[in-house]
């Protein structure tokens, strides 16, 4: 949007890295300096809470509220973690963000660290993002050299160390509790009871935020909660959001836009519309674990609240819009999604470990023309079981399947009646 | 055995941590880089460095897709089979590489240069169809483009001075 400030993807397209000198010239680290001089931690929590910032890794939990869960009397040491283990298919915003503006994430994490009185921060980054990991290493070294990381930052009493953890793959590591086990050198099952703010990494109080979420923290502290809140396009949404658009559009890419920008505008104006010869059929609005948008719901403002209002299992997710065209088979697409989830299931709990291969088998048989009418209620039942799983992974996996069964059932029925995939010639 | 200097660096890094096992993944990556894959011998060496049992390390080694517990080629080709790459016909990419190299998915060429593996969405959806080779991104892929990439790697890989 012309004239609307971009806060984290400062260039469009965001295809180069902004290192320390330029970041500071463009106002970087002023927020951290202000925080260290003017605010005690509860004030920072209050400002972030007032700003309306929500977790942008998919769950949308209010960031200030998450920070407020850390009890004043919680023991030390405490940890803060930036989650850049972005592995939701279709989602690549954190990669672009980290590669383009690594100091935004670093400054945000230091402020989070100060707010939690944490002595150490960890940036958890996935293996496939090795190039971004190298950019981050360079940026952390710059920040350390400049005194933004280390002992007594800016002469204050606050000291903070920062390390980068390279992961070796697997979707479940992005789940906060799985991530904790991964960092502890254990098999990354998400089986930790209770709040991580009470007992997280090594049993110590831990705050985990998504990389994009943290990157918005410095502009909020610099310009105020109300300013940030007013940046949102829709009534309820605050600030900006990076939308990563992929699929059959002319210009797939990452766009930082006012939060709540309508979907048709994102697709037509910013992503350049559909590729020639392809018509829009549907999209997954926020990554693989969101629901296919039915045609009547496509004119929607892209924010958490609008999807919550729609109900029916809709979720905003990560803002990763995957566009499907009229020549793409949704049974095949859902089969691909479920193959992903079945392979990535950590295997810890039964509904997920056993349920996903069962659903995969049903979809595979439908796709190969061996489906029966009875498969449709079976898919629903099996999806129901996935909601009994231990973590949010399996319900996420069930979400696109339920979208297929409830809003695009005619595609399944065609597979059954024609005894083949109607999209294959 | 790892070179003495590498062991010294790892030991130093481990001594700086509060809990040695937090470096388990880093140690496995280092061993894998040296041996080409995480062999049984490498696993035991890693466990010794971390003060863990080989079984404890095995428990996580087998979990991660970028830790190879079996021998792999000098260049490990991970073709993305995420939803967007699927839409852009990743299967034709796999089939093309498979026929060019004469190996099935999961196989390694006889000269030990290439392995072909699938990988879940690598987060380069704006470059679909895409693949990673030894951590480097290639995409959007075309049959001609793939041939050029394989030729170039074959040339580099057979040169004696080149480090893998």
């Amino acid at each position: 949007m012309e004239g609307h400030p971009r806060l984290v993807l400062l260039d469009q397209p965001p295809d180069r890295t902004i290192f320390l000198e330029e970041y500071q010239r463009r106002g970087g680290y002023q927020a951290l300096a202000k925080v260290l001089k003017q605010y005690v931690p509860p004030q920072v929590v209050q400002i972030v809470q007032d700003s309306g910032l929500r977790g942008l890794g998919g769950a949308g939990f209010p960031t200030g509220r998450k920070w407020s869960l850390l009890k004043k009397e919680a023991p030390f040491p405490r940890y803060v973690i930036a989650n850049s283990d972005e592995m939701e298919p279709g989602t690549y915003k954190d990669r672009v963000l980290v590669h383009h503006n690594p100091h935004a994430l670093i400054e945000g994490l230091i402020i989070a660290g100060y707010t939690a009185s944490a002595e150490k921060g960890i940036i958890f980054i996935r293996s496939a993002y090795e190039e971004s990991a190298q950019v981050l290493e360079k940026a952390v070294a710059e920040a350390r050299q400049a005194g933004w990381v280390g002992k007594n930052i800016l002469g204050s009493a606050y000291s903070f160390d920062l390390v980068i953890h390279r992961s070796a793959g697997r979707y479940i590591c992005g789940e906060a509790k799985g991530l904790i086990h991964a960092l502890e050198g254990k098999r990354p099952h998400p089986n930790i009871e209770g709040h991580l703010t009470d007992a997280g990494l090594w049993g110590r109080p831990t705050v985990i935020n998504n990389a994009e979420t943290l990157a918005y923290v410095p502009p909020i502290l610099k310009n105020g909660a109300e300013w940030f809140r007013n940046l949102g396009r829709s009534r309820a949404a605050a600030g900006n959001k990076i939308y990563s658009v992929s699929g059959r559009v002319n210009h797939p890419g990452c766009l930082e836009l006012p939060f709540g920008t309508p979907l048709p505008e994102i697709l037509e104006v910013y992503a350049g519309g559909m590729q020639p010869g392809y018509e829009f059929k549907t999209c997954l609005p926020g990554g693989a674990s969101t629901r296919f948008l039915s045609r009547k719901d496509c004119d929607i403002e892209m924010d958490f609240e609008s999807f919550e209002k729609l109900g029916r299992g809709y979720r905003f997710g990560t803002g990763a819009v995957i566009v499907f065209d009229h020549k793409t088979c949704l049974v095949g697409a859902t089969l691909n999604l479920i193959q992903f989830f079945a392979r990535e299931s950590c295997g810890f709990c039964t509904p997920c470990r056993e349920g996903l291969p069962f659903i995969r088998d049903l979809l595979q048989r439908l796709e190969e023309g061996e489906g029966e009418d009875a498969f449709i209620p079976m898919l629903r039942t099996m999806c129901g079981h996935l909601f009994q799983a231990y973590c949010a992974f399996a319900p996420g996996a069930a979400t696109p399947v339920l979208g297929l069964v409830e809003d695009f059932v005619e595609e399944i029925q065609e597979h059954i009646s024609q005894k083949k995939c109607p999209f294959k010639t | 055995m790892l070179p003495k200097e590498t062991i010294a660096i790892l030991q130093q890094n481990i001594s700086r941590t509060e809990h040695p096992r937090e470096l388990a993944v880093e140690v496995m990556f280092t061993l894998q880089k040296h041996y080409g894959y995480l062999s049984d011998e490498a696993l035991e060496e890693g466990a010794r460095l971390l003060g863990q049992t080989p079984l404890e390390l095995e428990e996580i080694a087998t979990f991660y897709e970028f830790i190879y517990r079996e021998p792999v080629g000098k260049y490990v080709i991970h073709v993305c089979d995420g939803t967007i790459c699927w839409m852009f016909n990743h299967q034709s990419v796999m089939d093309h590489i498979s026929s060019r190299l004469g190996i099935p998915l999961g196989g390694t060429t006889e000269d030990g240069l290439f392995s072909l593996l699938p990988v879940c969405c690598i987060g380069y959806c704006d470059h679909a169809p895409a693949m990673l080779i030894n951590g480097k991104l290639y995409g959007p892929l075309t049959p001609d483009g793939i041939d050029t990439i394989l030729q170039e790697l074959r040339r580099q890989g057979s040169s004696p001075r080149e480090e893998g």
Side-chain angles (χ1 to χ4, degrees), chain A residues 83-395:
Chain A
N83 185 350
S84 309
D85 192 57
E86 176 177 64
M87 283 184 74
E88 178 85 5
T91 309
Y92 55 98
K93 64 187 180 66
D94 293 346
R95 165 176 63 83
V96 173
L97 166 69
V98 165
H99 201 270
H100 174 61
N101 198 352
H103 283 287
L105 165 59
I106 294 168
E107 187 181 3
L109 186 59
I110 303 169
I111 294 173
Y114 171 78
T115 310
S117 303
E119 62 179 43
K120 188 172 170 184
I122 299 157
I123 301 176
F124 190 101
I125 190 157
R126 68 177 292 196
S127 193
Y129 290 177
E130 178 54 30
E131 280 181 45
S132 298
Q134 288 175 17
V135 164
L136 266 178
E137 269 175 348
K138 188 175 166 195
V140 169
E142 282 184 328
R144 187 168 279 130
Q145 180 78 24
W148 298 114
V149 171
K151 294 239 174 287
N152 304 103
I153 301 168
L154 279 196
S156 70
Y158 185 58
S159 299
F160 184 71
D161 193 24
L162 184 50
V163 296
I164 293 160
H165 177 93
R166 285 174 164 82
S167 183
R170 298 304 295 273
Y171 181 69
I172 197 67
C173 296
E175 203 278 344
K177 292 177 175 177
L179 185 149
I180 293 295
H181 278 157
L183 281 175
E184 291 178 346
K186 295 180 190 155
R187 206 166 167 94
H189 293 159
N191 54 331
I192 298 175
E193 296 293 338
H195 286 296
L196 296 178
T197 42
D198 293 328
L201 185 61
W202 310 115
R204 297 289 166 173
T206 304
V207 179
I208 301 186
N209 291 109
N210 166 259
E212 185 189 357
T213 312
L214 287 167
Y216 290 123
V217 167
I220 290 170
L221 271 305
K222 199 170 137 194
N223 300 297
E226 202 190 335
W227 169 86
F228 186 79
R229 203 173 247 293
N230 288 335
L231 288 177
R233 174 85 172 264
S234 53
R235 220 167 53 85
N240 286 357
K241 175 76 188 82
I242 304 176
Y243 298 99
S244 61
V245 184
S246 62
R248 292 280 182 206
V249 290
N250 281 312
H251 308 300
C254 268
L255 306 144
E256 182 187 338
L257 296 170
F259 211 162
T261 300
L263 178 64
E265 186 178 325
I266 293 174
L267 296 182
E268 288 305 320
V269 179
Y270 300 104
M274 295 298 288
Q275 289 179 4
Y278 292 98
E279 287 164 34
F280 179 90
K281 175 153 61 178
T282 182
C283 69
L284 289 168
S289 50
T290 58
R291 188 182 165 106
F292 292 110
L293 263 180
S294 75
R295 202 170 271 277
K296 65 176 173 29
D297 294 320
C298 282
D299 190 6
I300 189 169
E301 290 170 331
M302 287 290 287
D303 56 36
F304 290 111
E305 295 79 5
S306 302
F307 284 88
E308 284 158 12
K309 223 183 295 166
L310 275 183
R312 303 174 63 227
Y314 274 122
R315 286 174 54 245
F316 170 71
T318 60
V321 184
I322 308 173
V323 177
F324 296 90
D325 61 85
H326 72 296
K327 293 177 188 168
T328 296
C329 170
L330 289 188
V331 174
T334 312
L335 171 61
N336 172 277
L337 291 165
I338 288 299
Q339 265 166 344
F340 162 79
F341 285 116
R343 195 169 63 195
E344 291 303 313
S345 171
C346 80
F348 166 71
C349 76
T350 311
C352 182
R353 184 186 62 243
E354 304 296 326
L356 286 165
F358 196 103
I359 294 173
R360 178 183 58 192
D361 183 52
L362 290 175
L363 290 168
Q364 179 97 45
R365 285 157 72 186
L366 281 166
E367 181 64 6
E368 288 170 2
E370 296 162 8
E372 296 165 25
D373 290 330
F375 286 14
I376 298 171
M378 270 156 101
L379 281 170
R380 277 176 180 273
T381 307
M382 290 310 295
C383 284
H385 295 324
L386 291 187
F387 284 84
Q388 307 300 318
Y390 189 87
C391 78
F393 175 105

Side-chain angles (χ1 to χ4, degrees), chain B residues 31-147:
Chain B
L31 287 159
Q32 181 166 281
K33 202 173 169 196
H34 178 73
Y35 290 101
Y37 75 106
L38 196 70
S39 62
D40 291 348
E41 182 199 358
L43 188 87
E44 284 171 18
E45 202 177 339
R48 267 198 306 277
L49 279 164
L50 293 160
Q52 291 180 270
T53 65
L55 187 63
E56 281 174 316
L57 200 56
E58 174 78 335
E59 211 180 36
I60 60 170
T62 52
F63 193 82
Y64 290 113
E65 73 227 36
F66 285 97
I67 299 295
Y68 313 123
R69 278 292 278 121
E70 286 179 37
V72 286
K74 185 169 182 178
Y75 299 107
V76 185
I77 304 172
H78 282 277
V79 179
C80 178
D81 62 11
T83 311
I84 295 95
C85 289
W86 168 83
M87 211 188 306
F88 288 89
N89 206 356
H90 81 289
Q91 191 59 49
S92 72
V93 172
M94 287 196 185
D95 292 346
H96 187 81
I97 298 175
S98 180
S99 81
R100 278 285 183 271
L101 297 178
I103 50 171
L105 203 56
T108 299
T109 53
E110 269 179 27
D111 60 7
L113 266 190
F114 297 102
S115 291
L116 178 60
L117 292 168
V119 66
C120 64
C121 183
I122 52 175
Y124 286 89
C125 313
D126 47 347
H127 292 72
M131 64 180 176
L132 289 174
I133 303 180
N134 292 9
K136 187 170 184 285
L137 169 80
Y138 296 90
L141 297 169
T142 59
D144 286 350
I146 293 168
D147 290 345

